[in-house]
Amino acid sequence: MKRHLLSAADLSRDDALLILDTAEELARLADRPIKKLPTLRGRTVVNLFYEDSTRTRTSFEAAAKRLSADVINFAAKGSSVSKGESLKDTALTLEAMGADAVVVRHHASGAPHRLANSGWIRGSVVNAGDGTHEHPTQALLDAFTMRRRLGSFDGRRVTIVGDILHSRVARSNVRLLHTLGAQVTLVAPPTLLPVGVATWPCAVSYDLDAELPKSDVVMMLRVQHERMNAAFFPSAREYSRRYGLDGLRFAAMPEHAIVMHPGPMNRGMEIAAEVADSPRSTIVEQVTNGVSVRMAVLYLLLSGSESAIGSTEETS
């Protein structure tokens, strides 16, 4: 049966820990003069990106190349997609090229699921972010970073702050961190919380100042203006005053607590420069760790491991 990574909800605790443990082993490559392994030699990984991306696309490209895979970067801009080519026809083209794995980012929620379950391609599909739905490898690299800094997940309190409504990162993190044993609290204005959030395995708060003193991790999210078609808060200044992580709020956090951000950041809005650049900020580490985690995902998907990552059957 084909193997895909479409959602953080598809991962059991054992699956997630296997990926994190594998990433830990692969991270040791960074200290070697030659950072490549022959593991995926002869395999082809296609980066199929319908949305702009710097960190994720580059990270997947570096991960595949370090495993000696051949990499094809496919961007919608400048391709036949701009002439009206459908996802199906693009997928059939990639299948004809012999793609063993397709890493897909798409503006439509559910596009990777469609690609994985349509029969158009036989290779593995990795969801690199679909609309406002999910971004599972971002959640995995965030968890990897947390574990390196804090150790066990059990009982850890993670506070995710900002534009939850439009955030695929928040959705994937809530699901994965709950699976791993952490307690997650979402903090946002009511207008930036999705319908049905009460059914998510997390708590919800509107008061950032009340949550900071008891948080082990504070993850700030960018306000995604490009996905907004209405006024979700009075002004950027008002949002920053209520939900921005400035120096005073940073001082209210426990001394061991860390600050995270999936990027890109709006410095001065959701996070102050002094906080983003502090030693307790893991923002640069997250980028570094992303390569190791995505290496682990590609390795486990394409090297035939039977114990990692669920099947193609949707758990909805």
Side-chain angles (χ1 to χ4, degrees):
M1 184 175 286
K2 299 178 198 173
R3 302 281 180 173
H4 307 299
L5 177 56
L6 306 175
S7 166
D10 295 339
L11 297 171
S12 68
R13 182 183 174 90
D14 287 344
D15 289 336
L17 290 175
L18 176 59
I19 294 170
L20 298 183
D21 291 342
T22 304
E24 195 67 61
E25 293 179 25
L26 292 170
R28 295 174 193 154
L29 280 175
D31 299 324
R32 289 170 33 172
I34 299 175
K35 297 177 172 59
K36 295 188 76 169
L37 291 174
T39 315
L40 298 184
R41 185 175 293 156
R43 300 295 189 98
T44 300
V45 175
V46 176
N47 287 327
L48 177 60
F49 277 62
Y50 286 80
E51 284 187 329
D52 294 337
S53 171
T54 301
R55 292 167 183 78
T56 303
R57 184 186 60 76
T58 305
S59 180
F60 269 110
E61 182 177 359
K65 286 182 175 178
R66 287 186 186 180
L67 292 170
S68 301
D70 297 319
V71 180
I72 299 173
N73 288 317
F74 182 101
K77 291 179 181 177
S79 72
S80 294
V81 172
S82 62
K83 302 175 184 177
E85 183 173 83
S86 67
L87 178 62
K88 177 179 180 179
D89 290 325
T90 300
L92 293 174
T93 300
L94 299 180
E95 174 65 15
M97 292 179 180
D100 295 292
V102 178
V103 179
V104 59
R105 168 168 286 192
H106 203 284
H107 50 79
S109 298
H113 291 75
R114 178 68 173 147
L115 198 60
N117 294 288
S118 61
W120 299 333
I121 60 174
R122 286 174 290 182
S124 297
V125 175
V126 180
N127 183 357
D130 59 330
T132 59
H133 178 228
E134 279 223 41
H135 194 353
T137 59
Q138 179 68 45
L140 285 163
L141 74 88
D142 291 341
F144 182 83
T145 305
M146 289 179 206
R147 190 170 75 162
R148 278 196 148 187
R149 283 283 192 123
L150 301 173
S152 171
F153 294 100
D154 293 326
R156 290 292 185 185
R157 294 178 176 270
V158 180
T159 301
I160 303 178
V161 187
D163 186 1
I164 309 297
L165 177 63
H166 301 99
S167 177
R168 52 198 174 205
V169 173
R171 285 167 173 78
S172 289
N173 264 296
V174 166
R175 290 179 170 125
L176 182 64
L177 292 172
H178 173 73
T179 298
L180 291 171
Q183 300 173 30
V184 182
T185 300
L186 302 177
V187 178
T191 52
L192 288 178
L193 288 169
V195 174
V197 71
T199 65
W200 294 14
C202 63
V204 175
S205 172
Y206 308 116
D207 187 350
L208 177 57
D209 293 309
E211 300 301 324
L212 291 176
K214 52 188 179 183
S215 299
D216 298 299
V217 179
V218 176
M219 183 182 297
M220 306 304 296
L221 301 176
R222 179 177 64 91
V223 175
Q224 298 187 39
H225 294 289
E226 71 277 11
R227 299 187 192 274
M228 295 182 179
N229 55 10
F232 288 87
F233 45 84
S235 67
R237 183 175 180 180
E238 176 67 11
Y239 177 88
S240 184
R241 186 180 72 82
R242 290 285 304 278
Y243 296 100
L245 187 60
D246 58 16
L248 287 175
R249 286 196 167 113
F250 183 57
M253 292 168 53
E255 289 187 6
H256 71 275
I258 59 173
V259 175
M260 306 185 76
H261 197 303
M265 292 181 288
N266 291 318
R267 287 175 179 256
M269 187 170 180
E270 75 265 10
I271 189 168
E274 62 188 287
V275 178
D277 297 332
S278 78
R280 287 160 59 193
S281 166
T282 67
I283 296 167
V284 176
E285 283 174 50
Q286 287 170 263
V287 176
T288 301
N289 294 340
V291 177
S292 301
V293 167
R294 285 161 178 143
M295 285 177 70
V297 168
L298 293 173
Y299 170 79
L300 292 169
L301 284 172
L302 298 181
S303 66
S305 171
E306 292 297 319
S307 56
I309 304 179
S311 70
T312 63
E313 295 176 4
E314 290 191 51
T315 59
S316 63

